[in-house]
Amino acid sequence: MFPKSKIIMLTAASASLAMAGASVAGAGTVNNGNPYVAGDMHNHNTCTDGSVAAGYALDRVLATGTAAAGGQNFNIDWFTLGNHGGSGTGDCRFSTAGAGIPGDNPKVWNDTLGQTIDGITITSLKGTPNGTGAGRQMWRWQSIQEIEWPLVTRRSQQYNKVVIEGLEWIVPGHEHTDVAVITGQTPLNAAAPGVADNMAQFEYLFDRADNDLIGPVDGSNNQIWPGKISNAGLVGNAAHQKSVTGTAWLQSKFPLTSYVVPTHTERAGPFNTSDNKGYNIEHFRDLNNAGPTVAFGIESPGHMAQGTDAGGSGSYTTSAVGGGTYGMQGIYTAKVGGLWDGMLGEGRNFFIYVSSDWHTRGSFGARDAASTSDFWPGEYTKLYVPNTSNFTSQNVIDGMRSGNSYSTNADIIGPDLVFRAHGADGVWKTMGETIVANPGETITLEMAMTVPTTNHSPYSFNNPLLTPINKLQPLNKPSVDHVDLITGDITGVIAPGAPGYAVPNAGGVAGANIVYNPSAKIAKQIAASSMTTTTNPDGSTRLSFTTTFTAGSTPFYIRSRGTNIPPATPNVTDNDGNPLLDSNNAKVQCLDAACPSHLVKVNGKPVVTYDVQAWSNTWFYANPIFVRPASYPQLLVETNAALAKTLAARASRR
């Protein structure tokens, strides 16, 4: 818990545009006293291609202390259990052998049908028969309903935390997208925990890897979910239209209780009209148009410990748009003037989020502290949404939709960020909100953040990326060097088919050169050394500053990011402080005697790669505040927020 003295000033800043949803999907209280609460919405278990059992994953993420079999638990505040769509052979009540968990040996469905395991009995594999013998597979809609949902219900009640049943949608026409539908989910209600049927139905109808054409049936063997569009031969633009249809389906049925957030969006390269991979800017515009209150952003890569001397952070290869990651972000969000700035330049409600994409620790087991692949949810990445006195899964979606959220790596800052501004009226607006001001009016911006005393890094040696500039900074002690305040003009929404709506894209580093909003710039860079600094009783450091902007005749936005890396750090940042391609980090040797042996070696010397790279190169991103002249029409971010408010009011009258 953070001291109350540090959060007195946060009342206005942490006030969300919280819109009540059509249903309350689980109710509980996050009793940590912080204005924001940390979660993760993208992770995997053995129901698809993860390494650990679904129940084990929930325990490690939600519990405190140390797991019974070993390994730190991460006590995350809220959690969305996600998995790919499609099907799987493994009984996901068991982990893989590579996870290295004593007494937990893998099983396939053919081994366990009819047995009661972890309180769950699977009597048959439903839908279109899929495989034979040991290769028999369960369709994901069934594992959502009959495996994951009972485990979500049990763990929600055990830990008194909000847990959501979600999905990593394998998207027609593209790669992957995080989706959740919380209507019907009330896992904290022991008397009536609800069901995850709506989430399962979406997966069945719209997932590219789910080729079941039957789905669940009633007592007369009639299909319960008719109308599925076959995936056979569906690629490119035709497949993309199915993804738009799926988003519109969510908007029509669950406009306040679902989300569509494309993930690792650069990884598969640019959109390909003869394949199913990649996203260009027009596809995000299409999704936001089809789902104005459900498709409201994108997610950064995950897989943060995969970086080698050839790239690889986030599973990005040199063929990804941008050619790799930049400060553990994809180029769409890391580049000033990039795709995110292009979407914001239209005034869209389009925000960014972070999550773990947990699968495995690579060459290490699930209980080990080191990783050459992924981090556990809550270990390295945290997505913060506003806390409430009676926190529910609806608050997770409301917080994400409102834009009042921020993302951190390596606990670079804690759960009490202030990022707010006001005009002459003195009314504070925070992330996702809009200030209405007259041209020439002064916009006062206030920012404050707490740098914790420690993070989850197992390494206490000094950051090797900072050795060339003679800066000593232990990897297990977070630090902020500076904050960038990035602005861009808003020129209005581009209509489908109009010039500039579709933008030619490129794979590799050529994709890093595309500018979507030429007005975007680092307007101000605030060094931590120039901020007001207070040391808190627990040893953490409170940094704060106030600055001003001037409203003009054109609307604009202000977003922020911060990092532990100074500008012009060789192989890490350019002279302006922008992150370089992360594969450049591997040009730096890890010379400390404590550098782990698993690092990539170049000419026999360990270089900054894998988990050491992730703990060395740390950033946070805060969503934007918008500024609009009083004479200018409302921005799309405002009209879509108003739409959500209207839908909520309508739902409350039912």
Side-chain angles (χ1 to χ4, degrees):
M1 180 183 294
F2 277 63
K4 291 183 178 179
S5 61
K6 290 168 45 186
I7 61 175
I8 292 173
M9 65 189 296
L10 296 175
T11 305
S14 60
S16 163
L17 284 176
M19 285 78 70
S23 65
V24 176
T29 302
V30 179
N31 294 306
N32 59 17
N34 297 319
Y36 290 89
V37 286
D40 188 279
M41 63 175 179
H42 181 177
N43 46 83
H44 298 270
N45 57 59
T46 48
C47 282
T48 54
D49 59 347
S51 61
V52 299
Y56 180 84
L58 287 163
D59 290 332
R60 287 292 302 275
V61 172
L62 299 174
T64 59
T66 302
Q72 183 179 0
N73 297 323
F74 294 102
N75 190 27
I76 208 163
D77 297 317
W78 61 268
F79 186 57
T80 298
L81 187 67
N83 257 310
H84 294 293
S87 60
T89 59
D91 184 332
C92 43
R93 294 167 291 186
F94 298 90
S95 300
T96 66
I101 303 169
D104 192 354
N105 300 309
K107 303 280 187 182
V108 296
W109 296 116
N110 210 50
D111 297 330
T112 59
L113 287 178
Q115 300 177 24
T116 300
I117 300 167
D118 208 0
I120 300 166
T121 307
I122 302 298
T123 57
S124 65
L125 300 182
K126 300 175 181 177
T128 305
N130 188 9
T132 59
R136 295 174 70 188
Q137 299 192 42
M138 177 184 285
W139 295 108
R140 272 291 288 139
W141 63 263
Q142 183 181 359
S143 63
I144 287 171
Q145 288 184 314
E146 299 184 20
I147 298 291
E148 289 190 333
W149 179 247
L151 295 172
V152 164
T153 297
R154 189 177 309 161
R155 271 27 178 227
S156 292
Q157 294 170 17
Q158 178 180 348
Y159 298 109
N160 191 32
K161 289 186 177 179
V162 167
V163 184
I164 297 169
E165 176 64 31
L167 170 75
E168 186 180 3
W169 182 21
I170 301 179
V171 188
H174 307 286
E175 196 186 14
H176 300 150
T177 286
D178 284 334
V179 176
V181 185
I182 63 172
T183 297
Q185 298 187 29
T186 53
L188 277 168
N189 186 339
V195 294
D197 292 358
N198 295 311
M199 184 71 268
Q201 183 181 10
F202 177 86
E203 189 281 334
Y204 167 77
L205 290 174
F206 297 108
D207 196 273
R208 174 163 54 88
D210 191 322
N211 296 311
D212 178 19
L213 296 177
I214 298 174
V217 295
D218 62 20
S220 300
N221 214 35
N222 297 313
Q223 280 187 288
I224 296 174
W225 300 331
K228 179 168 182 171
I229 303 169
S230 172
N231 294 310
L234 207 58
V235 296
N237 291 321
H240 168 67
Q241 287 308 309
K242 182 175 178 179
S243 71
V244 173
T245 299
T247 302
W249 185 86
L250 291 172
Q251 181 68 36
S252 66
K253 293 179 176 294
F254 310 107
L256 300 181
T257 56
S258 67
Y259 58 74
V260 175
V261 178
T263 183
H264 41 67
T265 51
E266 303 91 345
R267 186 171 78 176
F271 179 72
N272 188 324
T273 57
S274 61
D275 205 339
N276 286 284
K277 64 178 187 178
Y279 295 89
N280 296 351
I281 194 168
E282 58 266 29
H283 305 114
F284 301 127
R285 288 168 168 155
D286 287 347
L287 295 179
N288 185 239
N289 292 342
T293 64
V294 302
F296 41 67
I298 57 176
E299 180 194 318
S300 63
H303 298 303
M304 299 295 193
Q306 290 187 355
T308 70
D309 57 332
S313 299
S315 294
Y316 282 36
T317 68
T318 55
S319 63
V321 178
T325 54
Y326 295 73
M328 305 294 148
Q329 288 277 333
I331 196 65
Y332 289 164
T333 52
K335 181 181 177 66
V336 175
L339 186 143
W340 186 28
D341 284 316
M343 298 292 283
L344 296 178
E346 294 184 80
R348 289 183 182 269
N349 55 321
F350 200 77
F351 309 115
I352 67 163
Y353 314 95
V354 71
S355 66
S356 63
D357 202 354
W358 158 256
H359 286 71
T360 172
R361 294 190 92 79
S363 60
F364 294 92
R367 300 175 299 149
D368 293 329
S371 178
T372 59
S373 184
D374 307 334
F375 294 106
W376 278 99
E379 179 183 8
Y380 182 79
T381 56
K382 288 185 172 70
L383 170 59
Y384 284 102
V385 299
N387 197 359
T388 65
S389 60
N390 188 35
F391 190 76
T392 72
S393 53
Q394 186 65 58
N395 296 120
V396 173
I397 294 183
D398 289 346
M400 290 170 58
R401 185 198 308 112
S402 72
N404 188 9
S405 68
Y406 62 101
S407 301
T408 69
N409 289 344
D411 290 315
I412 183 174
I413 61 173
D416 58 354
L417 174 69
V418 172
F419 182 45
R420 62 180 186 171
H422 68 73
D425 60 6
V427 178
W428 290 108
K429 300 290 185 177
T430 189
M431 294 171 283
E433 296 184 315
T434 303
I435 298 167
V436 179
N438 293 312
E441 196 171 303
T442 296
I443 305 298
T444 300
L445 183 142
E446 179 183 70
M447 195 164 183
M449 66 216 80
T450 296
V451 182
T453 57
T454 189
N455 56 29
H456 292 298
S457 174
Y459 309 118
S460 58
F461 56 85
N462 286 320
N463 188 337
L465 293 180
L466 300 180
T467 300
I469 59 172
N470 298 313
K471 186 172 183 178
L472 303 181
Q473 182 189 106
L475 293 183
N476 63 346
K477 295 186 181 300
S479 177
V480 171
D481 178 80
H482 66 272
V483 167
D484 292 328
L485 298 177
I486 299 165
T487 63
D489 292 340
I490 299 171
T491 54
V493 175
I494 303 173
Y501 186 84
V503 178
N505 205 342
V509 293
N513 298 322
I514 302 173
V515 175
Y516 297 85
N517 185 346
S519 68
K521 62 183 183 294
I522 300 175
K524 297 189 177 187
Q525 189 169 85
I526 315 296
S529 59
S530 68
M531 299 179 194
T532 300
T533 303
T534 304
T535 301
N536 297 305
D538 65 352
S540 61
T541 302
R542 186 72 170 165
L543 302 174
S544 62
F545 65 88
T546 301
T547 190
T548 60
F549 293 83
T550 301
S553 57
T554 300
F556 70 102
Y557 58 87
I558 310 167
R559 64 179 179 91
S560 66
R561 70 184 182 192
T563 179
N564 67 323
I565 304 291
T569 297
N571 299 303
V572 193
T573 52
D574 67 16
N575 290 337
D576 294 322
N578 295 301
L580 299 176
L581 190 63
D582 286 340
S583 58
N584 288 307
N585 297 175
K587 297 177 182 178
V588 181
Q589 292 182 355
C590 192
L591 299 175
D592 195 285
C595 289
S597 60
H598 65 266
L599 297 182
V600 172
K601 293 178 177 60
V602 175
N603 296 323
K605 301 290 185 181
V607 294
V608 180
T609 46
Y610 294 133
D611 51 354
V612 169
Q613 179 193 42
W615 294 114
S616 299
N617 193 353
T618 65
W619 296 73
F620 74 84
Y621 280 76
N623 282 312
I625 300 167
F626 301 87
V627 181
R628 171 175 62 84
S631 60
Y632 199 92
Q634 282 195 335
L635 306 176
L636 189 59
V637 67
E638 296 176 88
T639 58
N640 283 346
L643 171 62
K645 206 168 185 178
T646 299
L647 291 169
R650 190 178 300 162
S652 68
R653 291 193 295 268
R654 289 176 185 165

